Amino acid sequence: MTIKVKYPLALASVFLWIGFVGAISFMEAWLKFRAPGITIPLGLGIGRLVFNALNKVEWVLALVVLINLLIVNDGVFSKRTITYFIALLGLAIQTGWLLPALDLRAELLIQNLEPGASYLHFYYVGIEMVKILCLFIFGIKLFKT
């Protein structure tokens, strides 16, 4: 039995994207603080580096998906792609607002200053969960075509 996939690059990129977000946001982010010798400032410095790299990788994967959709030219804006664009919106919010705000908080903590209470991490994690769900649904829809 042969399965033909209409969007091979998009399909691979979507599940790779899910893997990156899952591994970094839901494993690396909190596990690094449990490693021996990792201080809060060191962990925050590592986190800033890793999450900024993750953000760049996510944008590359998002663009690969978009390019594959455009090449196939089968209705980029359709019911099938709405979950992709929701994930893309989440990524844009993280890039434009949450990551810069979290970077600022991390820098203040690294300098032993108290940035005050914040819900930014909860927003970030919430968007990560929405992105993974949307990407998973989108990937399944791509596989079905």
Side-chain angles (χ1 to χ4, degrees):
M1 181 171 143
T2 305
I3 298 174
K4 286 199 170 202
V5 178
K6 199 173 189 179
Y7 307 95
L9 292 175
L11 186 64
S13 295
V14 163
F15 287 103
L16 191 58
W17 188 354
I18 290 169
F20 267 99
V21 170
I24 292 174
S25 291
F26 299 114
M27 283 186 63
E28 183 277 340
W30 60 275
L31 279 176
K32 73 175 160 278
F33 289 106
R34 302 185 85 196
I38 296 294
T39 62
I40 297 294
L42 185 57
L44 290 171
I46 293 167
R48 289 171 67 193
L49 182 67
V50 169
F51 275 89
N52 282 310
L54 172 63
N55 187 257
K56 289 173 179 63
V57 168
E58 285 187 86
W59 278 110
V60 168
L61 294 170
L63 287 174
V64 169
V65 171
L66 184 60
I67 289 167
N68 194 188
L69 292 173
L70 290 170
I71 288 171
V72 173
N73 196 19
D74 190 26
V76 173
F77 300 103
S78 66
K79 287 181 182 178
R80 179 179 2 156
T81 62
I82 192 156
T83 53
Y84 164 73
F85 286 106
I86 291 170
L88 201 59
L89 175 63
L91 181 58
I93 291 168
Q94 288 173 324
T95 303
W97 172 50
L98 287 170
L99 279 177
L102 288 167
D103 269 352
L104 179 61
R105 290 182 58 77
E107 184 58 38
L108 291 172
L109 287 165
I110 289 168
Q111 295 177 12
N112 289 321
L113 300 171
E114 180 56 46
S118 169
Y119 291 104
L120 293 174
H121 280 92
F122 293 112
Y123 299 151
Y124 194 91
V125 170
I127 289 174
E128 292 290 67
M129 290 191 298
V130 169
K131 275 190 337 198
I132 285 177
L133 178 64
C134 286
L135 289 170
F136 183 76
I137 292 168
F138 178 62
I140 296 301
K141 288 179 182 178
L142 288 177
F143 192 70
K144 287 182 178 179
T145 62

